[in-house]
Amino acid sequence: MRIRVTAAALCAAVLVAGCGGGGGGDSDAKATDSAAAQGSSSGSGSGSASASAAASEAPAEPLGEAQLKSAALVGGDVDGYQITDFPVKPDGDSTVRPADCQPLENMRTASPDPGPKAFVGLLAFGGAGPTAGSATTIGLMAYDGSDAEGILDGLRTALKKCTAYEGGVPARTTAKAATAPDAGDEAVAFGLETQGDSADAFVVVRSGATVVLFYTAAGTGSAAEVPAELVTAQIRKLGA
């Protein structure tokens, strides 16, 4: 039986490239206003249907590392969570088969293609209530506007074509789209489940030219779920 905190902190934390996998292994984006204008995101892991309209407002210049740090959650920002820096830089080097699934594996290792201009990583530990013992990795990634949009487009395309892949982890991994939250300018959600384990949960949100990854590792036999309060708080702070 695995403990969520151990899985996320020692291995399943998505920022550690080459780990066995989660399941076994700006510029002001005005995120809240944009999300309200788009309406609820739903089905097939895709974000709002009006994301393309919001895209025209995305800033061209990426945030710098100092700006990302200023926009990142810290302890006390979200009740019930301990939030710490996760300084390991993404350095993914895993290739999967079929190639259509590669964007999903890239996000599992926090190494999307193209890579971000700047990156800040966090770990959020749930300390009370239903989230007690959970661990969520948060990665803030700064891009040029068009590249940020491309990351979300690539994930949506992969989820339409990819149901399972091999490579990157010791066992076969299945992929399944999930309902994306109403957050930022657009969002994608999905689960990755390595054979023999429960599914880990991923939410990827674009706020302006910044892409934010949320990855919650599976716990003691039940599928993981990215805490909505973490997503809401981080995207709100990023757009402040």
Side-chain angles (χ1 to χ4, degrees):
M1 180 180 295
R2 294 185 304 148
I3 299 175
R4 290 186 180 182
V5 171
T6 301
L10 300 182
C11 179
V14 69
L15 312 183
V16 182
C19 176
D26 69 23
S27 298
D28 299 321
K30 300 182 180 179
T32 303
D33 291 341
S34 297
Q38 293 172 47
S40 299
S41 304
S42 62
S44 302
S46 63
S48 169
S50 60
S52 59
S56 62
E57 300 177 4
E61 295 299 321
L63 294 178
E65 185 172 350
Q67 292 170 299
L68 285 183
K69 284 184 175 294
S70 179
L73 293 175
V74 296
D77 280 348
V78 187
D79 290 342
Y81 289 90
Q82 177 185 354
I83 298 173
T84 63
D85 291 338
F86 196 85
V88 177
K89 299 294 184 182
D91 188 24
D93 188 25
S94 60
T95 302
V96 303
R97 305 174 302 278
D100 287 339
C101 301
Q102 190 66 51
L104 304 179
E105 173 67 9
N106 289 348
M107 195 56 70
R108 185 189 70 81
T109 59
S111 302
D113 183 17
K117 304 292 186 181
F119 179 93
V120 169
L122 308 171
L123 278 177
F125 298 92
T131 62
S134 68
T136 298
T137 303
I138 303 173
L140 289 82
M141 298 175 275
Y143 282 94
D144 293 318
S146 60
D147 284 344
E149 296 160 22
I151 296 297
L152 277 290
D153 288 342
L155 290 172
R156 279 190 289 265
T157 299
L159 287 166
K160 291 177 181 178
K161 298 180 178 180
C162 176
T163 57
Y165 64 84
E166 297 179 352
V169 294
R172 183 176 176 85
T173 297
T174 58
K176 185 177 181 180
T179 300
D182 182 13
D185 295 313
E186 55 179 326
V188 173
F190 58 96
L192 295 180
E193 182 175 357
T194 299
Q195 189 173 2
D197 275 297
S198 300
D200 293 337
F202 296 79
V203 169
V204 183
V205 181
R206 180 179 69 81
S207 179
T210 302
V211 174
V212 186
L213 162 67
F214 301 86
Y215 165 33
T216 301
T220 57
S222 59
E225 183 176 350
V226 174
E229 57 268 34
L230 287 178
V231 177
T232 298
Q234 180 57 83
I235 301 306
R236 181 186 295 124
K237 188 171 183 178
L238 181 61

